[in-house]
Amino acid sequence: MPQQQYRPRSAFPSLSPLVSRLLAALLLVLAACIAIGASLLVFTPWGTGLAGGTSTTATPTVGSSSLSPTPRPTLAPVLTPRGSPPSLTAAEAMLLDADSDRILADINGEVPRPMASTTKIMTAVIALQIGNLDQEITVGADAVSEVRDNDGSNAGLQVGEQLTLRDLLYALLLPSGDDAAIAIADGLSGSTAKFVALMNLFALRLHLFQTHYANPDGLPAPGHYTTAFDLVRLAHYAMSIPLFAQIVGTRVYSVPATATHAAHVWTSTNELLSTYSGATGIKTGFTGEAGYCLVFSATRNGHHLIGVVLDTPGPEARFQDARRLLDWGFSLPLAPPGPSAPPSI
């Protein structure tokens, strides 16, 4: 039998050879068109724009942000020290620009020492953190004996009186009542020891690493100390609390008698409030160990300063030192902060 010759089969067996060749040619042309079109879409700006993309070769126009560097933020001028701070009688002093958080003057500002009744700044801060201002607190015997046994400053409270925490804060910060400090501590924490533990915890939270409290009123005690640096930072925080700022800026506060307490009139021990224009607070302090102390604040021409003087030799010396520091601070020139700017808190 003769061998059968192999013939390739057409892809279109039902079509004539001529028609099959025409269809194959059309498919080749179509494939070529698709390849060219894909190249246009992928590799040309016209194609990427047509496809909804962004051309990678777009030419920036004049004034485009791509032709100029990103502008840097403008730093507002701040009070800038020139020369040395004034001569003071205080062993420690600090002056802070509360607007820029920059230290303007630092005299032995990180030497730990007792701080007397400036302690009550922290006492008030803790009370405002954990207390209810309308809560009534009963004055205990230990609050009255604290004053009697230590000849401490007082708000004239009597055993058994019931006053709101709000009123007791005025009694604490204006006449610097040791009795008010103990009453607040007992009323909010159950004991002074528990309240003092909160004071020390909050000092750590505020990064006051050279501060430690042994009581809420500032009477001499082992392990009771701070620095001017820590105290000015605490005062800066306290003044951010509206009610605290309101209380320490008050010269006289009266409480009429009620069925639960006698009438009281409390006057601030901070004479700057009546003798220095723009004074806004804050707190005096004195013990034989700490000397005469003052934490002070003032506002003038839109600038806010907070300062501390510790261990001055007399009751008037602390106010004179504060006036000198404030006058010097407010007279400083304004300049943009730069590499040589004073440190900030």
Side-chain angles (χ1 to χ4, degrees):
M1 178 183 294
Q3 185 176 0
Q4 186 176 7
Q5 186 179 1
Y6 172 77
R7 294 180 181 179
R9 298 178 62 189
S10 170
F12 306 99
S14 61
L15 300 177
S16 68
L18 178 60
V19 175
S20 296
R21 283 195 293 271
L22 288 175
L23 287 175
L26 287 174
L27 287 174
L28 288 173
V29 172
L30 180 61
C33 291
I34 292 173
I36 294 170
S39 298
L40 289 172
L41 288 173
V42 173
F43 296 111
T44 66
W46 176 85
T48 52
L50 184 62
T54 302
S55 172
T56 57
T57 59
T59 303
T61 58
V62 176
S64 169
S65 60
S66 63
L67 297 180
S68 58
T70 302
R72 295 181 179 181
T74 302
L75 297 176
V78 296
L79 294 172
T80 304
R82 293 290 185 268
S84 301
S87 177
L88 305 175
T89 65
E92 277 191 37
M94 186 77 66
L95 185 66
L96 174 74
D97 180 355
D99 300 316
S100 64
D101 291 344
R102 293 186 177 275
I103 297 168
L104 303 179
D106 180 352
I107 301 172
N108 302 321
E110 297 196 40
V111 179
R113 63 189 320 113
M115 61 289 205
S117 284
T118 62
T119 297
K120 290 164 184 165
I121 297 172
M122 180 63 90
T123 304
V125 166
I126 297 300
L128 289 165
Q129 296 285 338
I130 68 173
N132 179 343
L133 293 172
D134 297 320
Q135 172 185 350
E136 288 199 341
I137 294 175
T138 301
V139 179
D142 59 338
V144 175
S145 64
E146 180 83 350
V147 172
R148 183 186 63 244
D149 297 345
N150 298 286
D151 193 25
S153 55
N154 68 89
L157 303 180
Q158 302 298 317
V159 176
E161 282 190 295
Q162 294 180 340
L163 296 102
T164 64
L165 174 59
R166 186 190 307 272
D167 289 339
L168 284 175
L169 286 169
Y170 282 91
L172 175 78
L173 294 170
L174 269 60
S176 194
D178 293 344
D179 44 5
I182 301 301
I184 289 172
D186 288 345
L188 296 184
S189 296
S191 70
T192 57
K194 291 179 180 178
F195 190 86
V196 169
L198 293 178
M199 295 171 70
N200 286 314
L201 284 173
F202 203 71
L204 291 176
R205 180 178 176 184
L206 293 180
H207 295 175
L208 309 181
F209 297 129
Q210 297 191 90
T211 296
H212 190 268
Y213 299 101
N215 56 55
D217 53 18
L219 288 173
H224 194 87
Y225 57 84
T226 192
T227 64
F229 178 72
D230 278 4
L231 199 46
V232 82
R233 295 172 67 203
L234 172 62
H236 190 18
Y237 175 84
M239 290 297 280
S240 71
I241 304 173
L243 182 56
F244 180 93
Q246 176 184 318
I247 293 173
V248 298
T250 301
R251 293 175 57 189
V252 180
Y253 184 79
S254 301
V255 178
T258 69
T260 60
H261 62 75
H264 294 278
V265 178
W266 297 310
T267 302
S268 175
T269 58
N270 182 8
E271 70 176 45
L272 286 185
L273 292 176
S274 57
T275 63
Y276 191 85
S277 177
T280 55
I282 299 176
K283 187 71 192 71
T284 61
F286 168 74
T287 64
E289 194 175 56
Y292 290 89
C293 307
L294 179 65
V295 181
F296 54 93
S297 61
T299 297
R300 187 175 291 178
N301 298 324
H303 300 291
H304 304 80
L305 300 181
I306 298 175
V308 174
V309 289
L310 298 178
D311 194 12
T312 66
E316 289 304 313
R318 57 187 169 184
F319 298 118
Q320 292 170 359
D321 280 356
R323 292 187 191 98
R324 290 190 189 103
L325 270 177
L326 288 171
D327 286 344
W328 176 80
F330 284 128
S331 68
L332 291 174
L334 293 173
S340 61
S344 58
I345 62 172

